Amino acid sequence: MIELEGVPELIDPVMVAAFEGWNDAGDAASTAVAHLEREWKGEVFAALDAEDYYDFQVNRPTVFMDGGVRKITWPTTRLSVVRVGGEKPRDLVLVRGIEPSMRWRSFCNELLGFAHELGVELVVILGALLGDTPHTRPVPVSGVTSDPDLAQRMDLEETKYEGPTGIVGVLQEACTHAGVPAVSLWAAVPHYVSQPPNPKATLALLNRLEDLLDLRVPQGELPEDARAWQVGVDQLAAEDSEVAEYVQTLEEARDTAELPEASGEAIAREFERYLRRRDVSPPGGHATADGGDGGSYLRDNPGGPSGRTRPPKPPKPEAPGGTDGEDEDTSED
């Protein structure tokens, strides 16, 4: 039995979760939840026992000094709660951690136990995968669910993915079997510049979360960071003609595929977001689009906090747009 002492009664709570690791290309998803926690000053109220779910030779603890005393931080998953103000205040239960090394079913059951005790009405899981998408275009974010009724009601895709999955897919299915509505939001990160951070993908996930939950997320410095990131990648691509040619190929494929989206619903969504922001005052490998582990593009040239290292030279594709004629919309569940 989970007892949550000190947690007040929540208003229309939604659980938003993200996990470092295979489901978190460019650290985009975990950074999004960290941003929510920081901007809304979330307070941690629970943590899962690290001994139950983590292999410490895979995810090692870290040692730090606190007032001259050495302490250890263990890799785990923590839960915090934040209240979103406005005309209709609501609470978000934020789950941020690392993809567990073992006992995934028990891990999901424990999170669902918290969700049940807190009266969570919806679970939203954020993920990011490596895809054949150009860094110069808006980041594609797909919303998927296993619930046909929820897909129709919230304008989401009903997932048809088959193949390897991570904790995001497992947790979503656990929610479905437990009768808890669950949605996964997947951002596609360019595979040729996959090293973290990727503020542009983080911002895209937060924008999609805004639309899904009809709330306003304070963006802080993310828009400026996203612009700086794109300028940095532009400069790196310009130094390598092969990379520049490949990016152009991706751009042409993307523009051709999304030409009908240049009007209608896509523009309406952007305009609605613009109006909402005017009216409200401010307050390891990775998954790929085809389910693989991203091969040689996985952080093979770490470059520190800026993430602006030279992207590896990708192979020239046989056909524009991806490995099998499909793009990032083939994201997993």
Side-chain angles (χ1 to χ4, degrees):
M1 183 70 174
I2 298 174
E3 297 181 3
L4 302 175
E5 297 180 2
V7 178
E9 185 175 351
L10 304 184
I11 303 173
D12 301 329
V14 173
M15 179 176 281
V16 181
F19 305 94
E20 299 174 20
W22 195 69
N23 299 135
D24 193 23
D27 291 355
S30 58
T31 302
V33 173
H35 178 85
L36 296 176
E37 196 172 43
R38 181 174 59 254
E39 292 293 327
W40 280 320
K41 298 177 173 58
E43 296 185 4
V44 175
F45 65 86
L48 278 59
D49 190 342
E51 292 279 352
D52 291 340
Y53 303 115
Y54 295 100
D55 179 346
F56 299 138
Q57 291 182 326
V58 176
N59 297 289
R60 292 187 177 275
T62 57
V63 179
F64 67 99
M65 300 298 293
D66 183 11
V69 178
R70 288 170 61 85
K71 294 186 177 181
I72 295 179
T73 298
W74 296 93
T76 188
T77 294
R78 295 177 173 84
L79 291 82
S80 60
V81 63
V82 299
R83 176 150 295 176
V84 183
E87 294 182 2
K88 296 181 179 179
R90 76 182 314 170
D91 292 303
L92 299 184
V93 179
L94 304 179
V95 179
R96 183 160 63 101
I98 305 169
E99 184 177 67
S101 307
M102 62 195 83
R103 302 186 183 92
W104 284 21
R105 285 176 290 187
S106 298
F107 180 87
C108 292
N109 288 337
E110 189 164 352
L111 289 180
L112 285 172
F114 282 110
H116 175 73
E117 287 295 313
L118 294 168
V120 167
E121 300 176 349
L122 174 70
V123 175
V124 181
I125 316 165
L126 306 183
L129 50 79
L130 301 177
D132 293 323
T133 182
H135 71 278
T136 53
R137 297 295 186 264
V139 176
V141 178
S142 57
V144 297
T145 180
S146 299
D147 185 333
D149 295 333
L150 192 63
Q152 184 174 10
R153 188 167 69 251
M154 303 188 78
D155 191 25
L156 302 166
E157 301 174 34
E158 187 179 352
T159 179
K160 303 296 183 183
Y161 172 80
E162 295 179 302
T165 190
I167 194 61
V168 171
V170 172
L171 179 56
Q172 178 168 319
E173 289 308 304
C175 291
T176 300
H177 291 304
V180 179
V183 175
S184 295
L185 301 181
W186 285 95
V189 172
H191 64 78
Y192 57 88
V193 57
S194 59
Q195 61 271 17
N198 190 318
K200 187 174 181 178
T202 294
L203 186 59
L205 280 170
L206 292 174
N207 286 339
R208 187 68 173 87
L209 185 68
E210 281 188 328
D211 295 341
L212 184 72
L213 301 182
D214 192 23
L215 52 80
R216 188 264 172 104
V217 175
Q219 295 185 345
E221 298 180 357
L222 271 176
E224 182 179 348
D225 292 343
R227 286 190 291 270
W229 176 86
Q230 180 163 327
V231 169
V233 179
D234 284 343
Q235 293 172 347
L236 290 172
E239 296 173 2
D240 190 313
S241 59
E242 189 173 349
V243 173
E245 182 182 350
Y246 180 64
V247 172
Q248 184 178 2
T249 300
L250 294 178
E251 290 173 339
E252 293 171 354
R254 173 78 178 273
D255 293 344
T256 301
E258 295 193 351
L259 188 59
E261 290 291 325
S263 59
E265 291 185 5
I267 293 178
R269 282 196 299 268
E270 290 302 317
F271 187 61
E272 288 172 1
R273 181 180 296 122
Y274 167 74
L275 291 178
R276 183 165 59 243
R277 287 201 164 275
R278 285 193 60 188
D279 293 340
V280 181
S281 57
H286 299 296
T288 60
D290 60 0
D293 65 358
S296 61
Y297 297 110
L298 305 181
R299 302 189 188 179
D300 50 352
N301 189 12
S306 69
R308 298 177 195 165
T309 55
R310 184 180 183 87
K313 293 184 179 180
K316 281 192 176 182
E318 295 181 0
T323 56
D324 56 0
E326 296 182 4
D327 60 11
E328 56 281 347
D329 290 336
T330 59
S331 55
E332 66 158 299
D333 52 0

